[in-house]
Amino acid sequence: MLVSMTAAGGTAKPDSDAAAREGVRMPSLAKYEVIEELGHGGMATVYRAHDPRLARDVAVKVLHPHLRESREIAHRFSVEAKAVAKLKHPNIVEVFDVSSAEDREQYLVVELIRGATLRKLLATHGALPPEVAAAIGLELIGALGHAHDAGVVHRDVKPENVLMEHRVAKVKDGDASADPCVGEGLTPAPTSRPSGPPSGGRRSVKDAGARVRVKLTDFGIAKLLDAQGVTSTGQVLGSPAHMAPEQIEGGDVDARADVFGLGVLLYECMVGHLPFVGNNPAQVLRRVLDGIYAPAERERPTVGKVWSTILDRALARDAERRFPSAEALGEALSRELERLEITSPRAEIEAFFDDPEAYHADHEARLVAVLSRLGAEARRARKPLDAAADYNRALAYAPADPTILRVVSTMHRAEARARAVRRAAPMVLAVLALGAASYGVARAVRGRPPAALADTPPRPSASTEPVVRAEPSSSASVRVEAPPPSASTAVVAVVAPPSTTRPPERTPKETSRTVRLATVRPVAGVRVSVDGGPPIEALDGTSVVVDDKAHELSFTCANDMCEPQRRAVGAGEAAPPPLAIEMRIRDATLVVSGSSASFYGIEQMPQLTLRSGTPIRVPMTRGSYTVVLFDRMNPEQKQGVTLIAGRRTDVHFGAP
């Protein structure tokens, strides 16, 4: 279920009259005063409401009217309430109340989280730094581990069901105090924060990480392991791209299904897109069942080998090959964070939310230094695979760093020589074996005199008389070697005179290298040029040939729909690692002109609300996108419009 239990900052007071004046239809609940709509999904709409009995704001999930008569939906509502009511954990949204059979509306009352969903965070910022994603994963693992211990499997772990609350810090007289104010995109105004040296150890703010809360919600399709008949036989519940294979096939579902779902979530956070993709749900389900996806390190080299390996195990097709529990996955995430000298994962989340742009620059500088040192240590310990993993990830962050380029080039040449030796070893062994056999045959033949000479006595010779084996030519000198004491003959060697002809001078050979584009996103419309030259089409697997000098690759998109991107290729003889190019598609701008008393929505993006004359930025995943606008006061009034990346679209809706 796609719901967003988020609210703008501050504590609002009930104002039903204002809502009525604005034309928003609010449900009528006996025990709660509904204030405003927060979001809605396929099953329910979520509102912020006030509980006058306890003087607190809550989130109320109200079932859609057309679903009220469904016994199955009502049962799932009841299941969610029972499932979460038995769970008390700081990373799980708490359930306060549920409607009774006598209530006109069917609703669920839960804790109000003043933030946004992880899905909205990804839509705003794109792929997260892998360490921030892992830190968020650890928070969710705490929630899942607690649920699993209570016999509850979530079965729908996805960014839409993760809520993020961040309180902005205000620094006064050296003390950091938290201000409970959160923007919808989790990107508050930058605040000053201490940053340590690149080698790590950067948190000095008091109670670092205390201003961030990560909450798991929506246990609506959770399976109670101690209950019977919660779902009908063979029924598939969940989101296709996040469902474990055994869940799709209707088999036994246990905690490892949530490990798979969390693996999908972490992959999307680190890479920027889902591992299993297709043109329709059937294709997605097929890819999940076949276990077909691109490794994270290939899609985004900055993820690195270690994180990619952890994700591969979490996404294993067979449940037996996955991490056996959420805690086991958490241990793997924690080990890698500690190896990278990140001792406070929650502080990493907090620092990212405080100022994403500054965090990226600081984090990358620290990470390159740490990875370079770890790579050097692995080389000294004769662990070439570990060294290559760390150096390659450092190079993905700093592709023009001459020191890292030199080390990686040296390692690539050493590996190439090792591969050549391994390929040649069988041939060398065969030649040696053949030579040994020939030598044995020759010795056997020399040991027997020819049959024609068997009865001929040997011709005596003086021990000092040299025997000439070869007739020297007139232009050669003759060196006579004295016979050794035990030899009866001397050997005359023919030595050629020194040549007076100078060898031809060698001309320097120009070295060419191939720069391969492993992946290019978006899949169409991207162009690449070398040093400002004519652009060519860039696709997955495209190769660009350059010489051994330094070059710059420039990437652009057709119709200027993407942010330009540049990649440096350092000087050297070795080919650089394959590049993963991910262009950020520009947002579209939509302006609706209509009645000032109306609100408008987009069917494909129900979380967005538009006001007349107010521009709104719409995240784009491709160059153009056709959406359907509707009037929230009169949903029957609809209008189609095509949004174009990087451009403004004005739409007249209804009466001016």
Side-chain angles (χ1 to χ4, degrees):
M1 187 195 312
L2 175 59
V3 297
S4 173
M5 287 183 254
T6 64
T11 302
K13 297 185 180 299
D15 191 357
S16 300
D17 293 340
R21 286 194 302 269
E22 293 179 352
V24 180
R25 298 173 182 174
M26 298 293 181
S28 177
L29 305 179
K31 296 184 291 185
Y32 302 94
E33 300 172 355
V34 179
I35 301 172
E36 63 177 341
E37 179 182 329
L38 300 179
H40 61 272
M43 284 182 58
T45 302
V46 181
Y47 299 92
R48 180 162 67 94
H50 185 72
D51 184 351
R53 297 166 302 168
L54 299 177
R56 65 180 178 184
D57 285 357
V58 295
V60 181
K61 185 189 301 184
V62 180
L63 197 66
H64 289 326
H66 66 280
L67 298 177
R68 291 173 187 164
E69 304 304 322
S70 171
R71 283 191 172 184
E72 179 185 355
I73 298 300
H75 181 62
R76 286 177 60 184
F77 248 61
S78 176
V79 166
E80 178 170 2
K82 292 177 181 178
V84 186
K86 63 192 295 188
L87 305 177
K88 300 294 182 182
H89 192 273
N91 295 115
I92 297 178
V93 173
E94 186 176 357
V95 170
F96 296 146
D97 193 8
V98 66
S99 59
S100 63
E102 293 76 21
D103 289 319
R104 179 176 178 274
E105 303 278 1
Q106 287 186 317
Y107 61 86
L108 193 67
V109 182
V110 300
E111 174 186 10
L112 178 66
I113 305 300
R114 301 182 182 279
T117 65
L118 180 57
R119 168 62 62 209
K120 191 165 188 177
L121 177 68
L122 294 175
T124 302
H125 297 288
L128 304 179
E131 286 66 38
V132 173
I136 294 174
L138 286 176
E139 297 290 313
L140 298 176
I141 284 170
L144 290 173
H146 177 75
H148 296 164
D149 290 342
V152 178
V153 179
H154 191 284
R155 300 204 300 173
D156 200 24
V157 180
K158 59 184 179 181
E160 290 84 347
N161 290 336
V162 177
L163 303 177
M164 313 289 295
E165 182 179 78
H166 171 230
R167 291 176 293 168
V168 180
K170 289 184 177 179
V171 180
K172 297 181 180 179
D173 300 328
D175 294 330
S177 61
D179 177 26
C181 178
V182 178
E184 290 188 1
L186 289 175
T187 54
T191 59
S192 59
R193 63 179 177 84
S195 59
S199 58
R202 58 199 279 266
R203 296 291 173 261
S204 59
V205 176
K206 183 180 179 181
D207 298 330
R211 295 184 288 105
V212 171
R213 290 199 300 168
V214 180
K215 294 274 191 174
L216 182 62
T217 186
D218 200 352
F219 282 76
I221 61 171
K223 175 184 178 183
L224 295 176
L225 299 182
D226 56 356
Q228 299 293 328
V230 174
T231 60
S232 58
T233 304
Q235 186 178 19
V236 177
L237 297 176
S239 306
H242 298 265
M243 295 168 62
E246 63 271 21
Q247 188 176 348
I248 296 173
E249 293 175 333
D252 293 334
V253 174
D254 56 22
R256 291 171 297 183
D258 284 346
V259 170
F260 185 93
L262 186 55
V264 174
L265 181 146
L266 289 174
Y267 184 105
E268 183 176 6
C269 288
M270 294 185 183
V271 176
H273 62 77
L274 289 164
F276 306 102
V277 294
N279 296 327
N280 51 62
Q283 289 185 2
V284 173
L285 293 174
R286 185 73 265 164
R287 289 179 181 270
V288 174
L289 292 174
D290 293 339
I292 298 176
Y293 68 95
E297 64 173 327
R298 194 177 74 188
E299 290 292 280
R300 195 175 186 87
T302 52
V303 173
K305 182 68 175 179
V306 179
W307 290 126
S308 186
T309 301
I310 293 174
L311 294 177
D312 287 344
R313 185 175 179 189
L315 295 172
R317 167 65 180 83
D318 299 324
E320 293 76 14
R321 296 175 54 200
R322 291 180 215 141
F323 291 99
S325 64
E327 290 84 353
L329 172 57
E331 291 173 2
L333 298 177
S334 296
R335 280 195 303 269
E336 179 60 7
L337 288 175
E338 292 173 3
R339 193 179 76 92
L340 298 175
E341 301 182 358
I342 294 177
T343 57
S344 177
R346 300 188 82 241
E348 293 296 313
I349 305 174
E350 183 178 282
F352 177 79
F353 286 166
D354 283 345
D355 191 342
E357 185 175 349
Y359 177 88
H360 274 291
D362 177 48
H363 177 68
E364 290 179 8
R366 289 187 302 123
L367 207 56
V368 168
V370 171
L371 289 168
S372 298
R373 194 187 71 254
L374 292 173
E377 292 174 357
R379 288 188 74 190
R380 288 194 294 270
R382 299 182 181 275
K383 298 179 179 179
L385 295 180
D386 294 343
D390 288 331
Y391 273 123
N392 283 335
R393 190 180 179 204
L395 187 63
Y397 279 114
D401 188 296
T403 302
I404 302 177
L405 278 171
R406 184 168 58 253
V407 173
V408 172
S409 297
T410 301
M411 295 178 66
H412 284 178
R413 287 195 294 268
E415 176 61 22
R417 288 194 297 268
R419 286 197 300 267
V421 170
R422 288 194 295 268
R423 286 195 299 266
M427 185 180 300
V428 172
L429 292 176
V431 171
L432 291 176
L434 181 60
S438 301
Y439 177 73
V441 172
R443 288 200 60 181
V445 171
R446 284 201 304 270
R448 294 196 308 269
L453 303 177
D455 298 331
T456 304
R459 182 172 62 87
S461 60
S463 62
T464 58
E465 180 182 356
V467 178
V468 180
R469 301 292 186 186
E471 190 68 30
S473 65
S474 59
S475 62
S477 61
V478 178
R479 182 173 72 247
V480 180
E481 296 181 356
S486 60
S488 60
T489 60
V491 179
V492 178
V494 180
V495 182
S499 173
T500 58
T501 305
R502 296 180 61 185
E505 295 183 359
R506 296 181 60 186
T507 57
K509 182 181 178 181
E510 182 178 346
T511 302
S512 63
R513 300 174 293 161
T514 300
V515 182
R516 192 173 72 86
L517 308 181
T519 56
V520 179
R521 298 291 181 272
V523 296
V526 180
R527 303 287 186 269
V528 58
S529 64
V530 180
D531 299 330
I536 62 172
E537 186 177 16
L539 302 170
D540 290 0
T542 296
S543 295
V544 180
V545 179
V546 298
D547 56 26
D548 56 359
K549 299 179 178 61
H551 298 278
E552 183 181 73
L553 304 184
S554 301
F555 295 88
T556 57
C557 286
N559 301 321
D560 197 30
M561 71 176 185
C562 304
E563 298 286 350
Q565 189 176 136
R566 291 181 174 84
R567 291 292 186 91
V569 178
E573 297 181 358
L579 301 179
I581 306 301
E582 185 168 347
M583 309 287 288
R584 183 187 179 280
I585 299 179
R586 302 178 190 270
D587 295 340
T589 301
L590 176 62
V591 181
V592 178
S593 60
S595 172
S596 59
S598 294
F599 293 90
Y600 303 95
I602 303 176
E603 284 190 351
Q604 291 80 359
M605 304 173 189
Q607 73 276 13
L608 299 180
T609 298
L610 295 80
R611 296 175 182 267
S612 178
T614 302
I616 185 171
R617 297 177 64 181
V618 181
M620 301 290 287
T621 58
R622 53 181 183 265
S624 61
Y625 193 62
T626 300
V627 298
V628 177
L629 300 177
F630 66 93
D631 189 333
R632 290 191 179 274
M633 295 180 60
N634 186 4
E636 298 301 323
Q637 292 187 5
K638 299 181 180 181
Q639 183 172 338
V641 60
T642 299
L643 304 177
I644 301 177
R647 298 185 185 180
R648 169 172 169 155
T649 301
D650 291 271
V651 180
H652 177 72
F653 203 106

